[in-house]
Amino acid sequence: MSSREPTLADVAELAGVSLTTVSRVLNNRGYLSEKTKKNVADAIQTLGYRPNSLARALHGKRTQTVGLIVPAVSLPFFGELAVEVENALAEAGYRILICNSMGRADREREYLSLLVGNRVDGIISGAHNEGLDEYDTIRMPLVTIDRELSPSVPNVRCANEEAGAMATRALIEGGCSHPLLLTSRSGPRNLREAGYRAEVERAGLTPRIVTVPFDTPTPQRFAMVRNALDEARAASPVDGVFATDDLAAAEVLEWARTHSLSVPTDLSIIGFDGTETMRRALPHLATIRQPIAEIAQAAVSILLDQIEGKAPRSSSDEAGAAPAQTVEFPGMLIPGRSLAL
Amino acid sequence: MSSREPTLADVAELAGVSLTTVSRVLNNRGYLSEKTKKNVADAIQTLGYRPNSLARALHGKRTQTVGLIVPAVSLPFFGELAVEVENALAEAGYRILICNSMGRADREREYLSLLVGNRVDGIISGAHNEGLDEYDTIRMPLVTIDRELSPSVPNVRCANEEAGAMATRALIEGGCSHPLLLTSRSGPRNLREAGYRAEVERAGLTPRIVTVPFDTPTPQRFAMVRNALDEARAASPVDGVFATDDLAAAEVLEWARTHSLSVPTDLSIIGFDGTETMRRALPHLATIRQPIAEIAQAAVSILLDQIEGKAPRSSSDEAGAAPAQTVEFPGMLIPGRSLAL
DNA sequence: GTGAAAGCGCTAACAA
DNA sequence: TTGTTAGCGCTTTCAC
């Protein structure tokens, strides 16, 4: 009875017309008599027919699907990013295939393969694994979010350097003379760090940086943050912390509590991201809000331009075409009680 | 040059064999000479060939894809659920198509259609829209997570009633004589509420319930929570709150602060879910942890049994077969400073 | 061991 | 206004 999904042929038979005709009413193409239209529509209705998108896609048309690669949608930033990307895509009639790389290069590699195998129309990558040359092989529209993959791949992100400077400035203006940076990976590619450094030096202070890797498993995380901060404080005073994500900032809050440091009197804290979830969880935490919706929309719109051929992927920059864009959106300071004034 | 993805035919030509042969080495079926195998493998390598899964699926095989419908992966519970479902599925060689219904019935309906159109092999639904009779039309393996869809659809969930009782008991044992329930929708189908009621009555206390709809937009949320709690407190004293999710519990914490109620001296608070994100953000919040990984694994395993034919979906319960299971996993009390002892 | 040919469900010329 | 036919890329009998 409910053996298999009905096909075009089933509909055609029931309606007493040819396949083409059914296909035509489905795609609303060509001239059809009202009567035929209705017949077919009825048949579709009674059969509960749904076109097989695979077959359609096989024919060379688009799959209307875009792959999104992120570390994990369980992280508030990426969860919200995924939702916004999905919304932006939905408006254009595209769907999303979400891939959680879990910070593992092998999984990202696998997913890349899978996406190509599934013939998605394009890929948005927000994962952060290094050294994946597989991306060079990708012959399809590609956009990254906050990730420098190659000069030929467009990159959309928050204006990290200025945002980092903004956060640091907020600490300094609040009276901190020993502001510390807590981040996941220090180095020249960390633009939030660059902003921090610039601002600290401008104020004639000394940069101090402490790192706890992004993908540390939760059980060990808090211990690592605590140790790192303890060490830093043992070396010299700390009266402010800029954590490059809000979850890390939450750990700093907890650390302060265990040391009976009162916030912001003894210690000012500012985070980064400003996701809805974290705003709800810790409304008093000052932070820099990334404009997630804008970022998602921009990434989607660039990708769709490529997909729809307005901007043929300049993979090899033939004729020295314009280099791929880096689009930046400013972060926004959200004040909070965790910050002295 | 990088015109289109290479096809089986391209590989066959380069290797100087037939389509069949290539297909055989791909699927490792039948007898092949080592030499041929190697030739083909090389051709695949140099061409960077990836089988088109659409074409394969079209042939009647599985798509190896499962749809997951949730309100939004940006909510910590569903974000973590999605990740766990994806992990469980990955082990079995399946992938996941995530659909965020955003609490809207129309979007859920659309997504259902889309999933069927994409010929996913099965669906896991964790969304919460009422009155979607579309589900009756679905002729494919289906499992729900914490959602009573129909007696014939298996449902996996946390043992909500006991967990609700557990939370309430924690408040009462901590000395609360006026424990309030903050939930999103009150009614007989709310099992956490049922647990709360049972326990409150057992202690000879009066149940008091306050609701703020789940999908209230963030800007208005906090105001609604505040008003609801203010009203409740104006009517009679409140010395404990059981919030049926941790984000709501966070709002109660904030409400307590604005009223200078000290937690837990004046007010005990316990939440629900115990996601990693919320544990990191508010480590001192007592809560009931849902065993998300177990729930995800169970749902996946039941679904895969259906897909792989071990348990033919008993949509009409022919021969009065065993009714669809409801699988429950116990919640776990996580104590915290928000709770008096 | 390997190949030829039919067909999965659909679209798009090309006819009628 | 509608039907016929040839694929899309792959798997799978059935032959050789």
Side-chain angles (χ1 to χ4, degrees), chain A residues 198-272:
Chain A
E199 208 59 32
V200 162
E201 273 156 25
R202 211 170 62 87
L205 305 176
T206 321
R208 296 175 59 204
I209 299 178
V210 145
T211 64
V212 173
F214 187 72
D215 54 343
T216 308
T218 318
Q220 295 138 53
R221 259 204 82 84
F222 185 56
M224 291 195 62
V225 172
R226 181 171 37 207
N227 291 343
L229 292 176
D230 280 345
E231 270 180 45
R233 202 162 77 114
S236 65
V238 173
D239 58 5
V241 176
F242 164 31
T244 54
D245 72 285
D246 290 334
L247 246 11
E251 277 147 3
V252 178
L253 278 169
E254 183 63 9
W255 172 78
R257 203 197 56 82
T258 62
H259 286 267
S260 304
L261 292 174
S262 106
V263 173
T265 321
D266 302 328
L267 185 75
S268 280
I269 303 180
I270 185 165
F272 204 100

Side-chain angles (χ1 to χ4, degrees), chain B residues 159-232:
Chain B
N160 284 313
E161 186 158 358
E162 282 127 65
M166 199 185 292
T168 311
R169 213 177 307 130
L171 289 175
I172 295 174
E173 285 171 359
C176 296
S177 44
H178 304 286
L180 184 83
L181 176 73
L182 171 60
T183 189
S184 63
R185 200 157 35 185
S186 174
R189 303 184 49 171
N190 185 334
L191 298 180
R192 296 178 198 169
E193 175 183 343
Y196 162 84
R197 284 183 182 278
E199 208 59 31
V200 163
E201 273 155 25
R202 210 169 63 86
L205 305 176
T206 321
R208 296 175 59 203
I209 299 178
V210 145
T211 64
V212 172
F214 188 72
D215 54 342
T216 309
T218 317
Q220 294 138 56
R221 258 205 83 85
F222 185 56
M224 291 196 63
V225 172
R226 181 170 38 206
N227 291 342
L229 293 176
D230 279 345
E231 271 179 44

Side-chain angles (χ1 to χ4, degrees), chain A residues 6 50 53 58 86-87 97 100 107 111 113-114 117-119 218 221 251 257 276 280 337, chain B residues 50 53 58 86-87 95 97 100 107 111 113 117-119 139 218 221 251 257 276 280 337:
Chain A
R50 300 197 195 293
S53 0
L58 183 56
E86 177 178 16
N87 285 340
L97 200 52
N100 297 122
R107 271 191 79 155
Y111 270 129
S113 223
L114 185 135
N118 269 48
R119 299 297 187 268
T218 318
R221 259 204 82 84
E251 277 147 3
R257 203 197 56 82
E276 292 226 337
R280 286 182 63 186
R337 299 200 313 280
Chain B
R50 299 198 195 291
S53 0
L58 181 56
E86 177 179 14
N87 284 340
R95 37 186 161 289
L97 202 50
N100 297 122
R107 268 190 81 155
Y111 270 129
S113 227
N118 269 48
R119 298 298 189 266
R139 327 168 237 271
T218 317
R221 258 205 83 85
E251 276 146 5
R257 202 198 56 82
E276 291 226 337
R280 285 182 65 186
R337 298 199 315 277

Side-chain angles (χ1 to χ4, degrees), chain B residues 29-260:
Chain B
R29 204 190 308 293
Y31 298 95
L32 290 299
S33 77
E34 281 308 318
K35 188 157 166 291
T36 316
K37 270 193 201 165
K38 180 160 186 332
N39 274 355
V40 173
D42 287 351
I44 289 178
Q45 188 63 36
T46 64
L47 253 44
Y49 167 77
R50 299 198 195 291
N52 181 333
S53 0
L54 302 171
R56 207 189 295 233
L58 181 56
H59 203 89
K61 324 256 319 174
R62 307 256 146 75
T63 52
Q64 301 287 114
T65 303
V66 164
L68 174 70
I69 307 183
V70 293
V73 288
S74 55
L75 294 170
F77 176 75
F78 293 105
E80 294 186 12
L81 183 68
V83 168
E84 297 294 346
V85 167
E86 177 179 14
N87 284 340
L89 243 18
E91 276 177 26
Y94 284 76
R95 37 186 161 289
I96 193 184
L97 202 50
I98 298 181
C99 306
N100 297 122
S101 75
M102 306 309 281
R104 284 166 41 191
D106 59 320
R107 268 190 81 155
E108 181 165 2
R109 217 183 314 265
E110 249 172 56
Y111 270 129
L112 226 36
S113 227
L114 185 135
L115 292 175
V116 176
N118 269 48
R119 298 298 189 266
V120 295
D121 298 329
I123 295 178
I124 298 179
S125 174
H128 282 277
N129 297 301
E130 307 276 341
L132 266 200
D133 31 345
E134 270 77 4
Y135 276 104
D136 302 338
T137 328
I138 299 297
R139 327 168 237 271
M140 71 167 65
L142 179 60
V143 173
T144 58
I145 289 183
D146 204 354
R147 179 183 200 184
E148 215 81 61
L149 205 53
S150 122
S152 70
V153 177
N155 180 14
V156 182
R157 67 179 175 215
C158 177
N160 284 313
E161 186 158 358
E162 282 127 65
M166 199 185 292
T168 311
R169 213 177 307 130
L171 289 175
I172 295 174
E173 285 171 359
C176 296
S177 44
H178 304 286
L180 184 83
L181 176 73
L182 171 60
T183 189
S184 63
R185 200 157 35 185
S186 174
R189 303 184 49 171
N190 185 334
L191 298 180
R192 296 178 198 169
E193 175 183 343
Y196 162 84
R197 284 183 182 278
E199 208 59 31
V200 163
E201 273 155 25
R202 210 169 63 86
L205 305 176
T206 321
R208 296 175 59 203
I209 299 178
V210 145
T211 64
V212 172
F214 188 72
D215 54 342
T216 309
T218 317
Q220 294 138 56
R221 258 205 83 85
F222 185 56
M224 291 196 63
V225 172
R226 181 170 38 206
N227 291 342
L229 293 176
D230 279 345
E231 271 179 44
R233 203 162 77 115
S236 65
V238 172
D239 59 4
V241 176
F242 165 30
T244 55
D245 72 284
D246 291 333
L247 247 9
E251 276 146 5
V252 179
L253 278 169
E254 182 64 9
W255 171 78
R257 202 198 56 82
T258 62
H259 286 268
S260 304

